[in-house]
Amino acid sequence: MEENDRDIINKIDELAERMENIKIAEYIELVRSPRRMLFINFIAGLARGLGIAIGATVLGALFLIFLFDLAQSNIPIIAEFVAKIIKIVETYL
């Protein structure tokens, strides 16, 4: 029976070490502090929003560059269509 107890104690120690490694105590402390959690989520939301804005701007600029190049390639049907889109974009910029 003593050997069985040692195995259980070893398993409990191993479990405690694993829980310490995954920082579960810090997570529980974070969940118990609503102000800190709100602040962290607010900052994360700002970072996501900024990333989306920058990404959309870069993709929009690349799309417009592609349209300008396509319009200059003088493909009859596509060039007319792209020219109309470029005029619309230029009027609203």
Short mmCIF file of all heavy atoms in Angstrom, two decimals, residues 47-93:
data_model
loop_
_atom_site.label_atom_id
_atom_site.label_comp_id
_atom_site.label_asym_id
_atom_site.label_seq_id
_atom_site.Cartn_x
_atom_site.Cartn_y
_atom_site.Cartn_z
N ALA A 47 -5.25 46.92 -30.77
CA ALA A 47 -4.22 46.35 -31.65
C ALA A 47 -4.86 45.66 -32.85
O ALA A 47 -4.40 45.81 -33.98
CB ALA A 47 -3.34 45.38 -30.87
N ARG A 48 -5.95 44.91 -32.61
CA ARG A 48 -6.63 44.25 -33.73
C ARG A 48 -7.21 45.27 -34.69
O ARG A 48 -7.11 45.13 -35.91
CB ARG A 48 -7.75 43.35 -33.20
CG ARG A 48 -7.25 42.07 -32.62
CD ARG A 48 -8.42 41.14 -32.26
NE ARG A 48 -7.96 40.19 -31.27
CZ ARG A 48 -8.25 40.23 -29.99
NH1 ARG A 48 -9.04 41.15 -29.51
NH2 ARG A 48 -7.77 39.32 -29.17
N GLY A 49 -7.85 46.31 -34.14
CA GLY A 49 -8.44 47.34 -35.00
C GLY A 49 -7.40 48.05 -35.83
O GLY A 49 -7.61 48.31 -37.02
N LEU A 50 -6.28 48.38 -35.21
CA LEU A 50 -5.20 49.04 -35.93
C LEU A 50 -4.65 48.13 -37.03
O LEU A 50 -4.39 48.57 -38.15
CB LEU A 50 -4.09 49.45 -34.97
CG LEU A 50 -2.91 50.21 -35.56
CD1 LEU A 50 -3.38 51.54 -36.11
CD2 LEU A 50 -1.85 50.42 -34.50
N GLY A 51 -4.49 46.86 -36.71
CA GLY A 51 -4.01 45.90 -37.71
C GLY A 51 -4.96 45.76 -38.89
O GLY A 51 -4.54 45.71 -40.05
N ILE A 52 -6.26 45.73 -38.59
CA ILE A 52 -7.25 45.63 -39.67
C ILE A 52 -7.22 46.88 -40.54
O ILE A 52 -7.26 46.79 -41.77
CB ILE A 52 -8.65 45.39 -39.08
CG1 ILE A 52 -8.74 43.97 -38.51
CG2 ILE A 52 -9.73 45.60 -40.12
CD1 ILE A 52 -10.00 43.71 -37.71
N ALA A 53 -7.13 48.05 -39.91
CA ALA A 53 -7.11 49.30 -40.66
C ALA A 53 -5.88 49.38 -41.57
O ALA A 53 -5.97 49.73 -42.75
CB ALA A 53 -7.15 50.50 -39.70
N ILE A 54 -4.72 49.05 -41.03
CA ILE A 54 -3.50 49.10 -41.83
C ILE A 54 -3.55 48.06 -42.95
O ILE A 54 -3.19 48.35 -44.09
CB ILE A 54 -2.25 48.89 -40.93
CG1 ILE A 54 -2.07 50.11 -40.02
CG2 ILE A 54 -1.00 48.66 -41.76
CD1 ILE A 54 -1.00 49.93 -38.96
N GLY A 55 -4.00 46.86 -42.63
CA GLY A 55 -4.10 45.82 -43.65
C GLY A 55 -5.06 46.19 -44.77
O GLY A 55 -4.76 45.98 -45.95
N ALA A 56 -6.22 46.75 -44.42
CA ALA A 56 -7.19 47.15 -45.44
C ALA A 56 -6.64 48.27 -46.31
O ALA A 56 -6.86 48.29 -47.53
CB ALA A 56 -8.50 47.58 -44.77
N THR A 57 -5.91 49.19 -45.69
CA THR A 57 -5.31 50.28 -46.46
C THR A 57 -4.28 49.76 -47.46
O THR A 57 -4.26 50.17 -48.63
CB THR A 57 -4.65 51.30 -45.50
OG1 THR A 57 -5.64 51.78 -44.60
CG2 THR A 57 -4.04 52.45 -46.25
N VAL A 58 -3.44 48.87 -47.01
CA VAL A 58 -2.41 48.31 -47.90
C VAL A 58 -3.05 47.52 -49.03
O VAL A 58 -2.69 47.68 -50.21
CB VAL A 58 -1.41 47.43 -47.10
CG1 VAL A 58 -0.52 46.62 -48.02
CG2 VAL A 58 -0.58 48.29 -46.17
N LEU A 59 -4.04 46.68 -48.71
CA LEU A 59 -4.70 45.91 -49.76
C LEU A 59 -5.45 46.81 -50.74
O LEU A 59 -5.44 46.57 -51.95
CB LEU A 59 -5.65 44.88 -49.15
CG LEU A 59 -4.99 43.68 -48.47
CD1 LEU A 59 -6.05 42.78 -47.84
CD2 LEU A 59 -4.16 42.90 -49.46
N GLY A 60 -6.09 47.86 -50.23
CA GLY A 60 -6.79 48.80 -51.11
C GLY A 60 -5.82 49.51 -52.04
O GLY A 60 -6.09 49.69 -53.22
N ALA A 61 -4.67 49.92 -51.50
CA ALA A 61 -3.67 50.59 -52.32
C ALA A 61 -3.13 49.65 -53.40
O ALA A 61 -2.96 50.05 -54.56
CB ALA A 61 -2.53 51.11 -51.45
N LEU A 62 -2.86 48.41 -53.03
CA LEU A 62 -2.38 47.44 -54.03
C LEU A 62 -3.43 47.19 -55.11
O LEU A 62 -3.11 47.07 -56.29
CB LEU A 62 -2.00 46.13 -53.35
CG LEU A 62 -0.75 46.17 -52.46
CD1 LEU A 62 -0.56 44.84 -51.73
CD2 LEU A 62 0.48 46.48 -53.30
N PHE A 63 -4.69 47.14 -54.70
CA PHE A 63 -5.78 46.94 -55.67
C PHE A 63 -5.87 48.12 -56.63
O PHE A 63 -6.03 47.93 -57.85
CB PHE A 63 -7.11 46.74 -54.93
CG PHE A 63 -8.27 46.51 -55.83
CD1 PHE A 63 -8.39 45.34 -56.54
CD2 PHE A 63 -9.26 47.47 -55.96
CE1 PHE A 63 -9.47 45.11 -57.38
CE2 PHE A 63 -10.33 47.27 -56.79
CZ PHE A 63 -10.45 46.08 -57.51
N LEU A 64 -5.74 49.34 -56.11
CA LEU A 64 -5.79 50.51 -56.99
C LEU A 64 -4.59 50.55 -57.93
O LEU A 64 -4.73 50.91 -59.11
CB LEU A 64 -5.86 51.79 -56.16
CG LEU A 64 -7.19 52.05 -55.46
CD1 LEU A 64 -7.10 53.30 -54.60
CD2 LEU A 64 -8.31 52.17 -56.47
N ILE A 65 -3.43 50.20 -57.45
CA ILE A 65 -2.24 50.14 -58.32
C ILE A 65 -2.48 49.13 -59.44
O ILE A 65 -2.17 49.39 -60.61
CB ILE A 65 -0.98 49.78 -57.50
CG1 ILE A 65 -0.60 50.94 -56.60
CG2 ILE A 65 0.18 49.40 -58.41
CD1 ILE A 65 0.47 50.62 -55.58
N PHE A 66 -3.04 47.98 -59.09
CA PHE A 66 -3.35 46.96 -60.09
C PHE A 66 -4.35 47.50 -61.11
O PHE A 66 -4.19 47.28 -62.32
CB PHE A 66 -3.90 45.71 -59.40
CG PHE A 66 -4.39 44.66 -60.34
CD1 PHE A 66 -3.51 43.89 -61.07
CD2 PHE A 66 -5.76 44.44 -60.50
CE1 PHE A 66 -3.97 42.92 -61.96
CE2 PHE A 66 -6.22 43.48 -61.38
CZ PHE A 66 -5.33 42.72 -62.10
N LEU A 67 -5.37 48.23 -60.65
CA LEU A 67 -6.35 48.80 -61.59
C LEU A 67 -5.72 49.82 -62.51
O LEU A 67 -6.02 49.85 -63.71
CB LEU A 67 -7.51 49.42 -60.82
CG LEU A 67 -8.52 48.47 -60.20
CD1 LEU A 67 -9.61 49.26 -59.50
CD2 LEU A 67 -9.14 47.56 -61.25
N PHE A 68 -4.85 50.69 -61.98
CA PHE A 68 -4.18 51.68 -62.82
C PHE A 68 -3.33 50.98 -63.89
O PHE A 68 -3.33 51.38 -65.06
CB PHE A 68 -3.30 52.61 -61.98
CG PHE A 68 -4.07 53.68 -61.26
CD1 PHE A 68 -4.01 53.79 -59.88
CD2 PHE A 68 -4.86 54.58 -61.95
CE1 PHE A 68 -4.71 54.77 -59.21
CE2 PHE A 68 -5.58 55.57 -61.29
CZ PHE A 68 -5.50 55.66 -59.92
N ASP A 69 -2.60 49.96 -63.51
CA ASP A 69 -1.79 49.22 -64.47
C ASP A 69 -2.65 48.53 -65.52
O ASP A 69 -2.30 48.48 -66.70
CB ASP A 69 -0.92 48.19 -63.76
CG ASP A 69 0.22 48.82 -62.98
OD1 ASP A 69 0.52 50.01 -63.23
OD2 ASP A 69 0.81 48.11 -62.13
N LEU A 70 -3.78 47.99 -65.08
CA LEU A 70 -4.69 47.31 -66.00
C LEU A 70 -5.30 48.30 -66.99
O LEU A 70 -5.48 47.99 -68.17
CB LEU A 70 -5.79 46.59 -65.21
CG LEU A 70 -6.62 45.56 -65.93
CD1 LEU A 70 -5.72 44.43 -66.45
CD2 LEU A 70 -7.67 44.98 -65.00
N ALA A 71 -5.61 49.50 -66.53
CA ALA A 71 -6.18 50.53 -67.40
C ALA A 71 -5.15 50.98 -68.44
O ALA A 71 -5.52 51.33 -69.57
CB ALA A 71 -6.66 51.71 -66.58
N GLN A 72 -3.89 51.00 -68.10
CA GLN A 72 -2.86 51.44 -69.02
C GLN A 72 -2.45 50.37 -70.03
O GLN A 72 -1.75 50.64 -70.99
CB GLN A 72 -1.62 51.90 -68.25
CG GLN A 72 -1.86 53.17 -67.47
CD GLN A 72 -0.65 53.57 -66.66
OE1 GLN A 72 0.33 52.83 -66.58
NE2 GLN A 72 -0.72 54.73 -66.03
N SER A 73 -2.92 49.15 -69.83
CA SER A 73 -2.54 48.07 -70.74
C SER A 73 -3.36 48.06 -72.02
O SER A 73 -3.10 47.28 -72.92
CB SER A 73 -2.66 46.72 -70.05
OG SER A 73 -4.02 46.47 -69.73
N ASN A 74 -4.35 48.93 -72.14
CA ASN A 74 -5.16 49.12 -73.34
C ASN A 74 -5.88 47.86 -73.82
O ASN A 74 -6.00 47.62 -75.01
CB ASN A 74 -4.31 49.69 -74.48
CG ASN A 74 -3.91 51.11 -74.21
OD1 ASN A 74 -4.65 51.85 -73.55
ND2 ASN A 74 -2.75 51.50 -74.69
N ILE A 75 -6.37 47.06 -72.92
CA ILE A 75 -7.26 45.97 -73.28
C ILE A 75 -8.65 46.60 -73.41
O ILE A 75 -9.17 47.14 -72.43
CB ILE A 75 -7.25 44.86 -72.21
CG1 ILE A 75 -5.83 44.31 -72.05
CG2 ILE A 75 -8.22 43.76 -72.58
CD1 ILE A 75 -5.69 43.34 -70.89
N PRO A 76 -9.26 46.56 -74.58
CA PRO A 76 -10.45 47.39 -74.88
C PRO A 76 -11.58 47.30 -73.84
O PRO A 76 -11.97 48.31 -73.28
CB PRO A 76 -10.92 46.88 -76.24
CG PRO A 76 -9.73 46.25 -76.85
CD PRO A 76 -8.90 45.75 -75.73
N ILE A 77 -12.11 46.15 -73.59
CA ILE A 77 -13.28 46.04 -72.71
C ILE A 77 -12.89 46.29 -71.25
O ILE A 77 -13.57 47.04 -70.55
CB ILE A 77 -13.94 44.65 -72.87
CG1 ILE A 77 -14.45 44.48 -74.29
CG2 ILE A 77 -15.05 44.47 -71.86
CD1 ILE A 77 -14.94 43.08 -74.61
N ILE A 78 -11.81 45.69 -70.84
CA ILE A 78 -11.39 45.83 -69.45
C ILE A 78 -10.92 47.25 -69.16
O ILE A 78 -11.22 47.80 -68.10
CB ILE A 78 -10.27 44.81 -69.12
CG1 ILE A 78 -10.83 43.39 -69.24
CG2 ILE A 78 -9.71 45.05 -67.74
CD1 ILE A 78 -9.78 42.31 -69.06
N ALA A 79 -10.23 47.87 -70.11
CA ALA A 79 -9.71 49.22 -69.90
C ALA A 79 -10.85 50.22 -69.69
O ALA A 79 -10.76 51.10 -68.84
CB ALA A 79 -8.84 49.64 -71.07
N GLU A 80 -11.92 50.08 -70.45
CA GLU A 80 -13.07 50.98 -70.28
C GLU A 80 -13.70 50.80 -68.90
O GLU A 80 -14.04 51.78 -68.22
CB GLU A 80 -14.11 50.73 -71.37
CG GLU A 80 -13.67 51.13 -72.75
CD GLU A 80 -14.68 50.69 -73.81
OE1 GLU A 80 -15.84 50.42 -73.44
OE2 GLU A 80 -14.30 50.64 -74.98
N PHE A 81 -13.86 49.56 -68.51
CA PHE A 81 -14.46 49.26 -67.21
C PHE A 81 -13.58 49.80 -66.07
O PHE A 81 -14.07 50.44 -65.14
CB PHE A 81 -14.66 47.75 -67.07
CG PHE A 81 -15.19 47.32 -65.74
CD1 PHE A 81 -16.50 47.61 -65.38
CD2 PHE A 81 -14.38 46.63 -64.84
CE1 PHE A 81 -16.99 47.21 -64.15
CE2 PHE A 81 -14.86 46.24 -63.62
CZ PHE A 81 -16.17 46.52 -63.26
N VAL A 82 -12.28 49.56 -66.17
CA VAL A 82 -11.36 50.02 -65.14
C VAL A 82 -11.31 51.55 -65.13
O VAL A 82 -11.24 52.17 -64.06
CB VAL A 82 -9.96 49.41 -65.35
CG1 VAL A 82 -8.94 50.03 -64.43
CG2 VAL A 82 -10.01 47.90 -65.14
N ALA A 83 -11.36 52.18 -66.29
CA ALA A 83 -11.35 53.64 -66.37
C ALA A 83 -12.56 54.22 -65.64
O ALA A 83 -12.44 55.23 -64.93
CB ALA A 83 -11.32 54.10 -67.82
N LYS A 84 -13.72 53.59 -65.78
CA LYS A 84 -14.91 54.06 -65.06
C LYS A 84 -14.72 53.92 -63.55
O LYS A 84 -15.07 54.83 -62.79
CB LYS A 84 -16.14 53.26 -65.49
CG LYS A 84 -16.61 53.58 -66.89
CD LYS A 84 -17.82 52.73 -67.26
CE LYS A 84 -18.21 52.94 -68.71
NZ LYS A 84 -19.34 52.08 -69.11
N ILE A 85 -14.16 52.80 -63.13
CA ILE A 85 -13.93 52.60 -61.69
C ILE A 85 -12.93 53.63 -61.18
O ILE A 85 -13.13 54.21 -60.10
CB ILE A 85 -13.42 51.16 -61.42
CG1 ILE A 85 -14.53 50.16 -61.72
CG2 ILE A 85 -12.95 51.02 -59.98
CD1 ILE A 85 -14.10 48.72 -61.60
N ILE A 86 -11.88 53.90 -61.94
CA ILE A 86 -10.86 54.87 -61.51
C ILE A 86 -11.48 56.26 -61.42
O ILE A 86 -11.19 57.00 -60.46
CB ILE A 86 -9.66 54.86 -62.48
CG1 ILE A 86 -8.89 53.54 -62.31
CG2 ILE A 86 -8.74 56.05 -62.25
CD1 ILE A 86 -7.79 53.32 -63.31
N LYS A 87 -12.35 56.64 -62.37
CA LYS A 87 -13.01 57.94 -62.29
C LYS A 87 -13.87 58.04 -61.04
O LYS A 87 -13.89 59.06 -60.35
CB LYS A 87 -13.86 58.17 -63.54
CG LYS A 87 -13.07 58.54 -64.75
CD LYS A 87 -13.97 58.79 -65.93
CE LYS A 87 -13.16 59.05 -67.18
NZ LYS A 87 -14.00 59.23 -68.37
N ILE A 88 -14.57 56.97 -60.72
CA ILE A 88 -15.40 56.97 -59.51
C ILE A 88 -14.54 57.12 -58.27
O ILE A 88 -14.85 57.91 -57.37
CB ILE A 88 -16.25 55.66 -59.44
CG1 ILE A 88 -17.30 55.65 -60.54
CG2 ILE A 88 -16.91 55.53 -58.07
CD1 ILE A 88 -18.02 54.31 -60.69
N VAL A 89 -13.44 56.40 -58.22
CA VAL A 89 -12.55 56.46 -57.06
C VAL A 89 -11.93 57.84 -56.95
O VAL A 89 -11.86 58.43 -55.85
CB VAL A 89 -11.45 55.38 -57.15
CG1 VAL A 89 -10.36 55.60 -56.12
CG2 VAL A 89 -12.06 54.01 -56.99
N GLU A 90 -11.51 58.42 -58.07
CA GLU A 90 -10.87 59.74 -58.02
C GLU A 90 -11.86 60.84 -57.61
O GLU A 90 -11.45 61.82 -56.98
CB GLU A 90 -10.25 60.07 -59.38
CG GLU A 90 -8.97 59.31 -59.64
CD GLU A 90 -8.37 59.60 -61.01
OE1 GLU A 90 -9.07 60.20 -61.87
OE2 GLU A 90 -7.21 59.23 -61.23
N THR A 91 -13.12 60.70 -57.96
CA THR A 91 -14.09 61.72 -57.56
C THR A 91 -14.35 61.71 -56.07
O THR A 91 -14.66 62.73 -55.48
CB THR A 91 -15.44 61.55 -58.31
OG1 THR A 91 -15.95 60.25 -58.07
CG2 THR A 91 -15.26 61.78 -59.79
N TYR A 92 -14.25 60.55 -55.44
CA TYR A 92 -14.52 60.45 -54.02
C TYR A 92 -13.27 60.58 -53.15
O TYR A 92 -13.37 60.62 -51.93
CB TYR A 92 -15.24 59.14 -53.69
CG TYR A 92 -16.65 59.12 -54.22
CD1 TYR A 92 -16.99 58.35 -55.31
CD2 TYR A 92 -17.62 59.92 -53.63
CE1 TYR A 92 -18.28 58.35 -55.79
CE2 TYR A 92 -18.93 59.91 -54.11
CZ TYR A 92 -19.25 59.14 -55.20
OH TYR A 92 -20.52 59.14 -55.67
N LEU A 93 -12.09 60.65 -53.74
CA LEU A 93 -10.86 60.80 -52.94
C LEU A 93 -10.54 62.23 -52.73
O LEU A 93 -10.52 63.17 -53.04
CB LEU A 93 -9.68 60.08 -53.58
CG LEU A 93 -9.73 58.57 -53.49
CD1 LEU A 93 -8.49 57.99 -54.17
CD2 LEU A 93 -9.74 58.09 -52.05
#
